[in-house]
Amino acid sequence: MTTPEPAAPGSPSLASSLDDLRRAYADLQSLGLRLDLTRGKPSAEQLDLSEALLALPGEGVHTDADGTDVRNYGGLDGLPQLRRIFAELLGVPVEQLLAAGNASLTLMYDTLAYATLFGVPGSERPWGREETVRWICPVPGYDRHFSVCEALGIEMVTVPMTPDGPDADAVAGLVADDPTIKGMWVVPTYANPDGSVVTEEVARALVSVPAAAPDFRILWDNAYALHHLTDDEVTSADAISLAAEAGHPDRVVLYASTSKITFAGAGVAFLASSPANVAWYKKHLSAQSIGPDKVNQLRHALFFGDADGVRAHMRKHREIIAPKFDAVTSILAERLGGTGVASWTEPKGGYFVSLEVVPGTASRVVELAKAAGIALTPAGAPFPYGKDPEDKVLRLAPTLPPIEEVRVAMDGVATCVLLAAAEHAAR
Ligand code: PMP
């Protein structure tokens, strides 16, 4: 969280009376805005960066570098030409990396669904036959991870996030004696929503922690591995190797996708893990599919060429979205700095800014913003079951709207944060 700076002179601040803030809010409402900061979607300008994909591979181009005819069935592992590029980028051996369909969330769901139906390597029985299966969810976290657990009847237990990733001591305390805890979510790089990065030390602690469950898994969702916003481009900890070194070779399953690299609905998703886990995953996948969409995979391989092609492409994304993140954090600093009613993250990558407001007011901020035509992610969304126990965390997603709209929306959000805090203080 940032050290707040002084508020800009002239703007309504917490020192303004409740009446002044109500007037500022009425002015905001009179603008008749219709703005949306709800979901982390790429903007049209970002999607345009990959427009050339629509003409690839092109009529007559249907064999990959290894001579595979991509139009036909087969190749459950995915196209080697594309896997080689992403193995380099994700720091995993190519033999341990699968290229799959268009969504990594599907791969995560399938991993847990297979575990529920069949168990994973090391399980005593299918997880579905256990009385209770529990799962650690670092909070704030990604709402769709929580939906996967909920859909499969997996109970969620929370641990706090720190600027260096999930609180590893809290994890150790939970898993040491409780065999019902079968695993945890981790978003290691530029986490959704707090932008934190798991340090090597925390990664080592998580993969080494003695767990009562012999089949404890870490679903290592590296959705933002390549999504830098500054020159300080972090390299994600190599959790798969670290886990093997720690004597838990099957603990980590890694996921990534090109959803926020090329097209969010038509990218390619990846799964990497130990040889045993990859074989296990493929065994169950082979009953479900004869092979992935290799045409799309070839299209992506041709579009990028190599790993540097992906890196260069990501810099173009950065040029478009970094100014939007700067707009968010500078307007928050101008309007809320020094007021003591809010703190926020300044992410070096990823898609979100996490804003903490006065406890007990986050849902009121969302309500006020909605009534002023600014749609925010529901308060509570970054928590299991949609419930933020302190009602204080808001997730801001600035990539989709044009920058002028981001500015107007953030100024409006600041007014709502101040009004909600003043109302709360007056209670
Ligand atoms: N993981 C995280 C942490 C995300 O934020 C998102 C997208 N919002 C996803 C996964 C979804 O990825 P995909 O499109 O590959 O399913």
Side-chain angles (χ1 to χ4, degrees), residues 39-41 102-108 142-145 186-187 190-192 221-224 255-260 263-265 268-270 351-352 395:
R39 289 230 73 98
K41 290 186 183 176
N102 73 325
S104 59
L105 193 68
T106 306
L107 307 182
M108 297 175 223
Y142 176 38
D143 53 352
R144 291 185 193 274
H145 285 163
V186 176
V187 182
Y190 310 132
N192 177 352
D221 177 4
N222 214 351
Y224 300 106
Y255 305 87
S257 77
T258 71
S259 289
K260 287 165 183 172
F263 296 146
V268 180
F270 301 91
Y351 260 58
F352 304 99
R395 185 185 84 165

Side-chain angles (χ1 to χ4, degrees), residues 299-356:
R299 193 191 332 269
H300 277 77
L302 295 173
F303 177 64
F304 292 127
D306 55 20
D308 275 340
V310 180
R311 294 186 186 103
H313 185 77
M314 292 315 291
R315 281 192 280 276
K316 295 185 198 155
H317 279 287
R318 172 182 157 186
E319 270 169 36
I320 296 171
I321 65 174
K324 297 184 182 181
F325 282 83
D326 288 345
V328 170
T329 50
S330 57
I331 290 170
L332 289 175
E334 268 167 38
R335 295 288 316 280
L336 301 177
T339 61
V341 300
S343 58
W344 53 91
T345 54
E346 288 191 354
K348 291 185 166 174
Y351 260 58
F352 304 99
V353 172
S354 183
L355 171 65
E356 273 191 22

Side-chain angles (χ1 to χ4, degrees), residues 187-212:
V187 182
T189 320
Y190 310 132
N192 177 352
D194 72 353
S196 64
V197 176
V198 173
T199 58
E200 175 105 358
E201 193 186 340
V202 169
R204 234 178 246 286
L206 294 174
V207 300
S208 314
V209 77

